[in-house]
Amino acid sequence: MQTYKAPLRDMKFVLHELMNEAPLPGHEEFTPELVDSILEEAGKFCAEQLLPLNASGDLEGCAIENGVVRTPAGFKAAYDAFNEGGWGGLEAAPEFGGQGAPATLAKLVEEMICATNISFGMYPGLTQGAVRALEIHGTEAQKALYLPKMISGQWSGTMCLTEPHCGTDLGLVRTKAVAQADGSYRITGAKIFISAGEHDLSENIIHLVLARAPDAPPGIKGISLFVVPKLLPDAAGEAGAGNGVSCAAIEHKLGIKASSTCQMNFDDAQGWLVGQLNRGMQAMFVMMNAARLGVATQGLGIAEAAYQGAVLYAKERLQGRALSGAKYPEKAADPIIVHPDVRRMLLTMRAYVEGSRALGMWVARRLDEANHERDEAKKAEAEEFVALLTPVVKAFFTDAGFECASLAVQVYGGHGYIRDHGMEQLLRDARIAMIYEGTNGVQALDLVGRKMPANFGRGLRRFFHPVAAFIEENKGHPVLGRAVGGFGKAFGALQLATFFIAEKALADAEEAGAAATDYLRLFGLVALGFMWLKMMKLALEKLPDAGVDAPFYQAKLSTGRFYLERMLTQVGALLAVIKAGKGALMELPEELF
């Protein structure tokens, strides 16, 4: 049986104490009191409405009959309640019916959704990405027609990229778009792996489809984006006649079984250009970047759920005696939380979760600045920061989510491997996050191949400079000075790895490719180390007057110490692997594999 309680105290700590930044233009009404009340209500909704459907939805899955997809029992009622609560439009623009909340708040709510029912979260999550793309690149008429209904949840949205013959390489897209005299296009082609492509939750489904005009340039420069509704809006703007859009099949998957992953056919369907012709990737990347941050949040949500389940079991399961002597002599055995190896697993999970939440909030705050800051220089800096960190958090958080789910299974032992406690579902559900929206290997290549050299490395400064400044300011800290010094060595390893890759990549791109995954992990470990030191420093400042909150801050210090002493130390080995170069990877002839 799965359990979950929203980690509100930690969320409030990160948002109000660690970040503690003034509201941006348009966010003034989101006072700490209002934010806290929204978080509390979101926690209740997710625990009471979504969590009970998680295991049953996994067991039942989606079903298709004659092209109609049915979601599991209870999903439609939960979807309606979700929309009645306004959760789908939390971050959306107020002029189209959204609440205009900051990304920092929206991401915390999103984490709760992912922790309690990641499959359910796919439906509104895809819609939010499509909404964002239309907000930025749609015409005024498109915005007026689609956004109010999509934000309210009356209509939903998808992103249709992948085709049977191409995945990440979207330059190979074959779906055709033929211009019509009325300004529309006729879209013909097949798409696969389309999340929420067909379902029974909303009145209409609005597909954003990548396609190629007949005379378009080859490759990625010839791709355009089109809005293709499942049902054509009538004169009143309501869902009307069918539009040559059909679901051929749903995938039978390892996890997220209550999310309908569809094979979609577009047969002479009517669509309309979004943005400029042959510039579809520019518009689609709005969705993809938002989705990558969303997938990072999925990893964090799964990790939190796994940690909570593992802690509960470790405190209840009796087995053996503590190595230092019985801790509960009145019981037949001690709970397994007394054992060092169980504590190692639990602390690893906790350190990942709380460190990732803090890093995620840093990225979310900069995302808010990129979208709402009026100072153009600050806006540009924020955009560079988010661009740099997006592949890091997507890959690192989802790797950590899968690792935490695996550790939770291990804590439960045989009971984790069976369905009853829900840990094996978390493990299965977590695995896809390392694959979709660009595999984690692709994220690593994006980091070293695009983000690192962009603008002559200027984006790196957005992360490197505040870290270096923190080390300089705190190396003499009376309590944390030694820890800051150790972290400084880890940061130095990241700098050395960066210089090594930059130098080698100039002469041999394979060298950068060989180092990419290890470099991204090194980057992520250092980023979490920075967050942990900042949280530890703040905890020390708060402790003297903490009162009943003293245990919370003490736990921050203990968990941070664990991270710095037993997890951050991986960076030395990663640097050694990076500096070893590509030789051992590339020398084996292809025919010998």
Side-chain angles (χ1 to χ4, degrees):
M1 182 177 181
Q2 296 166 340
T3 62
Y4 176 80
K5 182 178 181 181
L8 296 175
R9 180 64 186 92
D10 196 58
M11 289 179 170
K12 294 174 184 179
F13 167 77
V14 173
L15 201 52
H16 302 320
E17 299 177 54
L18 186 66
M19 296 292 112
N20 192 29
E21 298 186 59
L24 290 162
H27 293 158
E28 294 87 353
E29 68 181 277
F30 288 92
T31 62
E33 295 75 20
L34 177 59
V35 166
D36 288 352
S37 67
I38 292 173
L39 290 175
E40 289 162 10
E41 287 304 312
K44 291 177 184 177
F45 179 85
C46 291
E48 295 172 3
Q49 299 278 346
L50 301 187
L51 184 64
L53 298 175
N54 196 37
S56 62
D58 175 68
L59 185 61
E60 181 182 348
C62 294
I64 183 171
E65 184 176 355
N66 298 323
V68 178
V69 173
R70 303 297 182 195
T71 53
F75 268 56
K76 173 60 174 167
Y79 182 79
D80 291 343
F82 182 87
N83 292 321
E84 288 170 9
W87 298 113
L90 186 60
E91 194 181 355
E95 56 264 39
F96 298 108
Q99 298 176 51
T104 47
L105 171 57
K107 284 299 175 188
L108 292 176
V109 173
E110 189 177 342
E111 180 198 325
M112 297 181 203
I113 296 169
C114 295
T116 51
N117 198 322
I118 190 174
S119 288
F120 178 90
M122 294 292 289
Y123 297 100
L126 267 294
T127 301
Q128 290 160 16
V131 164
R132 185 65 178 156
L134 288 171
E135 279 181 341
I136 295 176
H137 292 285
T139 65
E140 293 305 313
Q142 288 170 346
K143 294 177 188 178
L145 175 60
Y146 295 111
L147 292 185
K149 288 185 172 61
M150 294 174 74
I151 289 169
S152 72
Q154 183 179 348
W155 293 357
S156 59
T158 75
M159 50 192 296
C160 298
L161 290 74
T162 306
E163 299 184 3
H165 62 282
C166 72
T168 302
D169 189 356
L170 294 174
L172 300 177
V173 162
R174 294 175 185 164
T175 298
K176 296 185 296 183
V178 179
Q180 305 297 301
D182 63 359
S184 67
Y185 287 77
R186 289 292 175 175
I187 311 298
T188 302
K191 300 287 184 177
I192 62 170
F193 302 159
I194 307 306
S195 298
E198 167 61 26
H199 55 79
D200 57 358
L201 302 180
S202 61
E203 293 179 7
N204 199 1
I205 302 174
I206 310 305
H207 302 283
L208 292 188
V209 183
L210 287 184
R212 185 186 302 277
D215 57 350
I220 207 78
K221 294 182 179 179
I223 300 297
S224 301
L225 182 66
F226 300 88
V227 56
V228 185
K230 172 187 172 181
L231 303 175
L232 290 168
D234 60 22
E238 300 299 328
N243 186 29
V245 179
S246 61
C247 176
I250 55 175
E251 304 295 349
H252 301 284
K253 312 184 294 291
L254 176 69
I256 58 168
K257 294 185 176 183
S259 168
S260 59
T261 306
C262 301
Q263 300 174 20
M264 301 298 299
N265 290 332
F266 296 88
D267 299 309
D268 207 31
Q270 191 171 18
W272 290 266
L273 182 67
V274 177
Q276 300 178 35
L277 194 65
N278 302 327
R279 298 289 298 275
M281 289 307 299
Q282 180 181 5
M284 183 56 82
F285 264 110
V286 172
M287 287 187 72
M288 290 180 67
N289 287 333
R292 286 170 177 173
L293 294 175
V295 172
T297 306
Q298 291 180 348
L300 173 56
I302 288 282
E304 173 67 42
Y307 171 69
Q308 288 193 27
V311 167
L312 180 66
Y313 186 78
K315 289 181 177 181
E316 294 179 345
R317 171 70 169 176
L318 301 181
Q319 188 163 311
R321 290 296 186 187
L323 298 177
S324 58
K327 302 299 182 185
Y328 295 84
E330 74 282 5
K331 296 182 179 180
D334 287 334
I336 63 174
I337 198 170
V338 304
H339 301 307
D341 195 56
V342 173
R343 295 176 69 86
R344 172 190 62 82
M345 291 187 283
L346 295 178
L347 281 166
T348 297
M349 298 161 73
R350 184 184 182 112
Y352 273 139
V353 167
E354 294 183 8
S356 296
R357 183 174 294 123
L359 180 59
M361 281 298 97
W362 190 17
V363 175
R365 169 65 190 197
R366 296 299 172 259
L367 181 62
D368 279 329
E369 291 175 3
N371 292 331
H372 301 283
E373 178 61 67
R374 290 173 182 167
D375 184 309
E376 290 301 321
K378 291 180 180 179
K379 186 181 183 75
E381 290 180 6
E383 289 172 348
E384 290 178 345
F385 180 90
V386 173
L388 175 71
L389 267 293
T390 293
V392 176
V393 298
K394 191 280 183 185
F396 191 86
F397 288 15
T398 57
D399 282 348
F402 184 73
E403 183 178 345
C404 288
S406 182
L407 288 171
V409 170
Q410 192 73 16
V411 170
Y412 275 80
H415 291 284
Y417 197 69
I418 61 176
R419 182 184 298 274
D420 300 32
H421 296 279
M423 295 302 106
E424 59 86 30
Q425 182 192 347
L426 294 179
L427 184 65
R428 288 184 290 103
D429 285 351
R431 191 59 185 85
I432 184 58
M434 303 161 73
I435 298 172
Y436 56 20
E437 305 311 332
T439 66
N440 287 359
V442 168
Q443 302 305 313
L445 289 174
D446 180 44
L447 177 63
V448 301
R450 292 192 182 99
K451 304 304 172 55
M452 196 169 82
N455 299 313
F456 303 99
R458 190 175 68 202
L460 286 171
R461 300 174 204 163
R462 308 305 171 208
F463 176 81
F464 281 27
H465 284 185
V467 174
F470 180 90
I471 293 171
E472 182 63 29
E473 292 168 7
N474 294 280
K475 61 185 180 183
H477 193 282
V479 178
L480 294 178
R482 184 176 178 182
V484 171
F487 172 73
K489 293 178 181 178
F491 179 54
L494 176 60
Q495 292 174 304
L496 288 172
T498 303
F499 296 146
F500 177 86
I501 293 172
E503 180 182 14
K504 291 289 185 178
L506 291 173
D508 186 347
E510 281 188 345
E511 287 284 3
T517 292
D518 297 301
Y519 179 76
L520 186 148
R521 178 158 183 81
L522 197 163
F523 202 127
L525 286 166
V526 170
L528 251 66
F530 180 47
M531 292 294 100
W532 269 115
L533 274 172
K534 292 187 71 173
M535 288 190 286
M536 292 169 75
K537 181 182 178 183
L538 181 57
L540 284 168
E541 294 169 358
K542 295 279 188 175
L543 260 175
D545 302 309
V548 295
D549 264 347
F552 173 84
Y553 294 114
Q554 189 58 57
K556 284 292 179 193
L557 294 173
S558 297
T559 310
R561 179 186 176 191
F562 175 87
Y563 181 85
L564 295 171
E565 293 182 7
R566 298 189 63 109
M567 294 176 69
L568 184 61
T569 50
Q570 298 171 44
V571 300
L574 289 167
L575 177 61
V577 171
I578 290 167
K579 293 178 72 174
K582 72 172 189 177
L585 269 179
M586 305 305 294
E587 73 173 21
L588 186 66
E590 185 177 325
E591 62 271 14
L592 294 183
F593 276 90

